[in-house]
Amino acid sequence: EDLGGQLSGEPVACSMYSGRLDVFAVGADGAAYHKYYADGTWHDYQNLGGDFKLAPMLFGSALPLTTVSWGKNHLDVYGRGADGAIYQKWWNEAKSQWEGWHNLGGQFKGAPVAVCWSPGRVDLFGIGMDDGLYHNYWDVNLNNQKWGGWEPLGGKFKLGYVSVVSQAPGKLDIVGIGMDDGMYHKAWNNGWTDWKPLGGKFSQAPSMVSAGDGFL
């Protein structure tokens, strides 16, 4: 099924409730575009603005945008802007409109990655200009609903992109490709573990999925 559009990067998709699918992609003009499926029908593309012309950047494996839903009718989309900072746009259900783009700062060479471990929580990751991984978070119950700020998680990654999943509330797992082409793993469970080498030799960024608590 042809969904149309003139896109310059791979699309990303997310569902914020059963029967709804939201798709985002960077257009040929560098802006972010949104298309959604609901009530059995695809709706037309909407220009969300922004400047993501450099989003594919240094690595073809890095998706231009990332999207996450942290609850029913709650949807966020993030992108690495042409200035290297991460930007956020979110759906305001009360106003039935998109808000942002909000500049979350930082300087990144790869696209961001977002994950939700429970309703009202978003964890955001990106590869900095020093090749290290950085983390930011938003929690509806913490910091007066403000972002926690970027913290360095160390490591050195050559592909500009990592994969992150949550096995269960309060748990995060990250895998990325190091400078030696090997895969490395780090986890959060009431504290960050050290980076652990998983071996192998890889030329593309990894992907990861969890089937439940204790399964990766």
Side-chain angles (χ1 to χ4, degrees):
E1 181 181 3
D2 187 354
L3 297 183
Q6 293 291 319
L7 310 179
S8 65
E10 295 293 325
V12 293
C14 187
S15 176
M16 57 180 171
Y17 56 81
S18 180
R20 167 91 180 209
L21 183 65
D22 289 81
V23 181
F24 302 88
V26 175
D29 59 357
Y33 284 81
H34 168 240
K35 190 179 185 75
Y36 73 96
Y37 177 88
D39 301 320
T41 301
W42 281 102
H43 296 254
D44 290 338
Y45 282 101
Q46 177 186 9
N47 187 334
L48 299 183
D51 184 3
F52 303 100
K53 291 184 179 69
L54 301 182
M57 296 159 299
L58 306 177
F59 310 99
S61 58
L63 297 175
L65 304 170
T66 187
T67 180
V68 66
S69 173
W70 51 269
K72 185 176 181 180
N73 293 321
H74 294 289
L75 185 65
D76 291 2
V77 59
Y78 304 87
R80 187 266 199 191
D83 60 357
I86 301 300
Y87 288 82
Q88 174 202 19
K89 200 174 187 75
W90 67 96
W91 175 251
N92 187 327
E93 178 65 17
K95 296 181 180 180
S96 296
Q97 68 182 31
W98 287 96
E99 304 283 2
W101 297 88
H102 176 52
N103 188 337
L104 298 182
Q107 283 291 303
F108 298 90
K109 63 168 52 178
V113 180
V115 66
C116 171
W117 77 32
S118 66
R121 170 79 184 207
V122 175
D123 287 84
L124 192 62
F125 301 84
I127 303 296
M129 302 305 292
D130 60 356
D131 299 315
L133 184 65
Y134 289 79
H135 167 246
N136 204 345
Y137 72 93
W138 181 87
D139 193 308
V140 69
N141 298 312
L142 299 174
N143 304 327
N144 292 318
Q145 298 190 18
K146 295 180 180 179
W147 284 88
W150 293 105
E151 64 167 332
L153 297 183
K156 292 285 185 179
F157 300 93
K158 68 187 303 181
L159 296 179
Y161 185 77
V162 296
S163 180
V164 186
V165 299
S166 175
Q167 301 181 45
K171 292 185 177 182
L172 293 168
D173 286 89
I174 310 167
V175 288
I177 306 305
M179 293 301 184
D180 59 356
D181 298 321
M183 189 177 295
Y184 288 81
H185 170 256
K186 191 180 188 75
W188 169 270
N189 187 4
N190 294 318
W192 289 109
T193 66
D194 293 332
W195 287 104
K196 178 183 177 181
L198 300 182
K201 293 287 184 178
F202 300 94
S203 61
Q204 295 184 7
S207 62
M208 181 170 51
V209 66
S210 176
D213 194 2
F215 294 92
L216 291 173

